[in-house]
């Protein structure tokens, strides 16, 4: 997912990007960051910073972390968030600060939960095939238990279901001017 998002943002000319964990400690968020960071390292002129804060729904924590980056001279144009919930917090706080989404900054979430289409602007996000993941898991368990196809003697398997990016209203081209003022 992180690789998809990095390439998408790079195609829109974003070069100063931030990965927003929200609350630390979620293994999936670290995995997304690894893919995002790896892809960004291959994009000429691209820079990546990270932001974390104690509560995914705490805009004050995001605001404080963002201002530390900006005061240090780093003005991001795009944010990839560890979840759609974190992305909603980021969009809300950026708009409260007077930024326009996506004209001043782009925001991408992860998971494609219903909230992604219930906010304004609607959230660009990575759709995870949750239903298909559940079905594949049930089929594998049933097969290993001897129900259906005989798979008891099969070696361990890895099943990959590919997420995809759903582009909505929260992303656009990198801005050509500073949003700091």
């Amino acid at each position: 997912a992180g690789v998809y998002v990095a390439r998408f943002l790079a195609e829109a000319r974003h070069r100063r990007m931030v990965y927003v964990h929200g609350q630390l400690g979620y293994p999936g968020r670290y995995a997304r960051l690894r893919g995002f960071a790896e892809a960004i390292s291959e994009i000429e002129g691209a820079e990546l910073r990270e932001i974390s804060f104690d509560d995914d729904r705490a805009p004050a924590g995001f605001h404080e972390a963002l201002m530390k980056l900006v005061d240090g001279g780093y003005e991001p144009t795009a944010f990839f968030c560890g979840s759609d919930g974190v992305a909603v917090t980021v969009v809300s706080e950026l708009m409260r600060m007077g930024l326009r989404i996506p004209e001043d900054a782009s925001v991408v979430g992860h998971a494609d939960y219903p909230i992604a289409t219930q906010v304004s602007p609607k959230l660009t996000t990575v759709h995870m095939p949750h239903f298909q993941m559940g079905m594949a898991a049930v089929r594998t368990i049933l097969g290993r238990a001897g129900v259906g196809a005989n798979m008891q003697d099969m070696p361990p398997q890895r099943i990959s279901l590919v997420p995809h990016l759903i582009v909505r209203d929260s992303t656009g081209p990198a801005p050509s001017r500073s949003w700091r003022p």
Side-chain angles (χ1 to χ4, degrees), residues 12-175:
R13 298 182 306 283
H14 291 278
R15 293 298 180 267
R16 292 180 315 276
M17 297 174 254
V18 172
Y19 181 81
V20 185
H21 291 272
Q23 185 175 345
L24 294 173
Y26 293 95
R29 292 181 186 181
Y30 291 118
R32 288 186 276 286
L33 171 60
R34 279 192 303 276
F36 192 56
E38 182 180 305
I40 286 175
S41 72
E42 298 172 3
I43 299 166
E44 187 175 336
E47 299 177 65
L48 173 63
R49 302 289 190 277
E50 295 177 54
I51 288 179
S52 63
F53 47 97
D54 292 336
D55 182 348
D56 287 356
R57 298 170 305 261
F62 169 73
H63 180 87
E64 181 180 324
L66 175 61
M67 293 318 300
K68 282 182 185 177
L69 288 179
V70 172
D71 290 343
Y74 189 78
E75 186 179 317
T77 63
F79 299 83
F80 177 34
C81 303
S83 72
D84 286 345
V86 172
V88 168
T89 297
V90 169
V91 166
S92 298
E93 184 59 16
L94 291 174
M95 291 175 70
R96 191 193 67 72
M97 293 169 58
L99 275 72
R100 300 166 302 149
I101 309 298
E103 294 85 353
D104 296 322
S106 290
V107 180
V108 179
H110 184 271
D112 195 27
Y113 291 129
I115 195 168
T117 59
Q118 297 168 351
V119 296
S120 182
K122 291 182 179 176
L123 193 60
T124 294
T125 188
V126 178
H127 175 80
M128 296 301 296
H130 292 112
F131 179 78
Q132 293 82 359
M133 290 164 63
M135 291 295 294
V138 168
R139 284 186 187 137
T140 301
I141 291 169
L142 290 175
R144 297 274 180 188
V147 179
N150 189 359
M151 292 178 54
Q152 293 103 329
D153 297 328
M154 293 290 292
Q157 298 177 340
R158 179 171 294 201
I159 300 170
S160 293
L161 299 171
V162 181
H164 63 276
L165 189 65
I166 297 179
V167 179
R168 296 193 180 107
D169 303 329
S170 67
T171 53

